[in-house]
Amino acid sequence: MDIIKINDNSDKLYYIGGIVRDKLLGVPSLDVDITYVGNAIEYCSKFGEVIQENPAFGTVRVNVDGRVIDFASTRAEVYEKKGHLPVVTKIGCSLEEDVMRRDFTVNALAMSVSTGEIVDYVGGLEDLKSKLLRVLHEESFIDDPTRIIRALKFRARFGFELEEYTRRLQEDYLAHINYNMSYKRVKKELIETFNLNSQRAFEIFVNEDIYKLVSPRKFVLPDVNIEELIKKYPVNNVWLVYFGLLPDLSRMEITKEERKIIVDFRILGALKTDFEIYKAFQDLALESILLYGIAKDMNAAVRYLDVLRHIKISITGEDLKRLGIEPSPEYQEIFDYVLKAKLENPQITYEDEIALAKKFKN
Ligand code: CTP
């Protein structure tokens, strides 16, 4: 999404956060955040149809010429419960106060809507040039540990580095993690990070112990380039192929479908023959097969994905009925018998399969 033009001469209206960073970097932005120095609900509702208001946060969502824009009042916050959503202490504070509650200097830039002037209270422009992520105060990660994952996301997305002091604060935090944190927010940031499909991000995640936020048990980087693997075998849920490798996911809220993908590959033992591989993988999500490959046996996963999954038997239950075989669990045995033969020799024809079914019966 790009900057949108709002016809308003107020000197109190600012693009803020990610959108300013992205505009200066020359990359498209995911969303448009605008802040009003004062009460945004009162001032910004005139820009279009109001879709939603949240008085507790002083925010209002407005449809401006067909685009949904979030307007926020400038606000000050405190983290009463570390690792959880902050509590708003003031709505309509100064722009500077609003900026000081944010995660990194590069995300604390504001741009006047009316003049385009950049307002930089914290040295964000300099850090943007040097590609550095710098927290605004030493409690930043203690207040909100999801910022460690956000930093990883920005490192992967833009090739940024952690500024030295910020790196030390990260190390300190990871050596003394407070596990009482909002894992819902952690999950959101992890999904956005791993969906970038970046091997570098995963290596940092493991080598810098960031994974311990989620899963404290020792984890060693697998000897597989997962980014390349996913490029070769594209999946819907890229993040799960990274995330599913972690040994302890008990803190995370995961859906039934996500859990299935993660559990399915774990319960599989060694797969020796083509038939075993085929039967184990045929009903599994591609994500699970890749996870099995990474964690257990890549040869088996690749053998299935490159060769075996394309092999299918042609005969059906109808064919067996025509052969005079009564429907029963024996059908499955016959299909497996034919499948075994076809995996050994994929060239066999439908007629060969019929012959095999007859042979099985006799
Ligand atoms: N922010 C913060 N701490 C967080 C999350 C967000 O300080 N844990 C602030 C940052 O100033 C950020 C802004 O809120 O720029 C908006 O948050 P969000 O939309 O999540 O981040 P973006 O920087 O826009 O990143 P993305 O491009 O991934 O949406």
Side-chain angles (χ1 to χ4, degrees):
M1 224 186 252
D2 247 335
I3 293 267
I4 63 151
K5 204 60 222 145
I6 291 179
N7 284 326
D8 190 82
N9 290 328
S10 165
D11 58 359
K12 293 184 171 175
L13 217 46
Y14 292 88
Y15 298 105
I16 191 104
I19 181 143
V20 183
R21 175 200 68 217
D22 293 342
K23 167 121 182 90
L24 292 167
L25 287 172
V27 299
S29 222
L30 301 176
D31 49 18
V32 181
D33 288 313
I34 295 181
T35 195
Y36 177 74
V37 185
N39 187 324
I41 300 179
E42 280 172 15
Y43 190 80
C44 303
S45 300
K46 65 181 179 188
F47 293 132
E49 181 206 347
V50 172
I51 302 170
Q52 202 184 319
E53 275 182 16
N54 186 345
F57 278 84
T59 56
V60 57
R61 179 167 289 177
V62 182
N63 183 336
V64 184
D65 302 330
R67 291 186 56 189
V68 175
I69 309 293
D70 288 316
F71 293 94
S73 309
T74 42
R75 65 174 189 263
E77 297 174 338
V78 287
Y79 286 84
E80 277 182 0
K81 230 170 121 196
K82 305 290 181 194
H84 294 266
L85 272 183
V87 177
V88 177
T89 52
K90 207 192 298 175
I91 290 183
C93 61
S94 69
L95 184 62
E96 184 167 6
E97 265 181 288
D98 179 280
V99 151
M100 295 314 289
R101 71 180 164 84
R102 293 172 184 270
D103 53 359
F104 304 106
T105 59
V106 296
N107 287 342
L109 291 163
M111 185 174 115
S112 163
V113 167
S114 59
T115 65
E117 180 204 359
I118 301 286
V119 181
D120 178 10
Y121 291 108
V122 292
L125 280 174
E126 197 53 41
D127 285 339
L128 203 56
K129 257 192 241 145
S130 319
K131 292 183 165 272
L132 286 179
L133 292 163
R134 184 191 306 268
V135 289
L136 302 190
H137 58 89
E138 70 175 349
E139 299 269 303
S140 190
F141 294 142
I142 297 169
D143 284 346
D144 182 357
T146 65
R147 289 175 171 169
I148 292 180
I149 304 169
R150 286 175 60 80
L152 177 64
K153 174 174 78 177
F154 299 126
R155 291 163 83 180
R157 202 194 281 165
F158 304 124
F160 288 172
E161 299 290 343
L162 289 185
E163 167 278 326
E164 219 25 66
Y165 180 58
T166 303
R167 174 182 296 277
R168 248 181 294 140
L169 291 177
Q170 175 182 295
E171 274 168 23
D172 281 356
Y173 187 79
L174 292 173
H176 306 96
I177 298 170
N178 171 6
Y179 285 98
N180 180 0
M181 69 177 89
S182 157
Y183 279 94
K184 203 169 153 197
R185 303 175 73 212
V186 168
K187 183 178 176 187
K188 172 184 170 283
E189 294 297 343
L190 278 180
I191 291 176
E192 288 179 18
T193 306
F194 288 141
N195 274 348
L196 296 170
N197 190 25
S198 160
Q199 180 68 18
R200 176 169 174 263
F202 192 55
E203 285 172 8
I204 296 174
F205 181 72
V206 179
N207 294 337
E208 293 184 13
D209 286 351
I210 298 173
Y211 71 91
K212 289 191 173 163
L213 287 172
V214 184
S215 170
R217 239 166 56 208
K218 182 87 192 136
F219 177 65
V220 182
L221 192 69
D223 191 15
V224 173
N225 186 320
I226 302 173
E227 179 179 335
E228 293 301 322
L229 186 72
I230 290 175
K231 280 187 189 149
K232 190 159 174 216
Y233 305 104
V235 291
N236 290 332
N237 295 294
V238 171
W239 69 280
L240 273 177
V241 181
Y242 292 97
F243 177 78
L245 293 165
L246 295 176
D248 171 11
L249 296 172
S250 55
R251 289 181 171 74
M252 301 287 287
E253 282 176 29
I254 42 185
T255 65
K256 245 166 74 188
E257 294 75 25
E258 290 161 355
R259 187 172 300 282
K260 181 165 171 15
I261 287 175
I262 294 167
V263 169
D264 274 356
F265 91 91
R266 290 179 194 223
I267 56 180
L268 286 177
L271 302 171
K272 292 191 197 75
T273 64
D274 278 353
F275 181 72
E276 278 176 11
I277 296 172
Y278 193 102
K279 294 298 278 186
F281 289 162
Q282 67 178 347
D283 296 323
L284 248 52
L286 184 50
E287 288 88 344
S288 295
I289 299 172
L290 296 185
L291 281 163
Y292 184 91
I294 298 163
K296 302 195 176 184
D297 180 357
M298 188 56 83
N299 288 335
V302 165
R303 171 101 184 122
Y304 179 75
L305 295 173
D306 287 351
V307 180
L308 304 182
R309 70 168 156 170
H310 305 297
I311 299 173
K312 302 231 159 32
I313 60 170
S314 312
I315 52 163
T316 63
E318 285 305 308
D319 293 314
L320 299 187
K321 251 193 231 163
R322 268 198 296 279
L323 292 176
I325 308 168
E326 283 302 309
S328 78
E330 198 188 16
Y331 273 29
Q332 193 53 51
E333 290 174 39
I334 299 173
F335 291 142
D336 283 349
Y337 178 72
V338 175
L339 175 64
K340 258 186 204 154
K342 193 147 187 174
L343 290 174
E344 274 168 30
N345 177 11
Q347 308 305 329
I348 64 175
T349 61
Y350 170 71
E351 286 72 27
D352 296 332
E353 289 183 28
I354 297 283
L356 281 164
K358 280 189 195 152
K359 190 171 151 206
F360 182 89
K361 272 312 281 178
N362 300 324

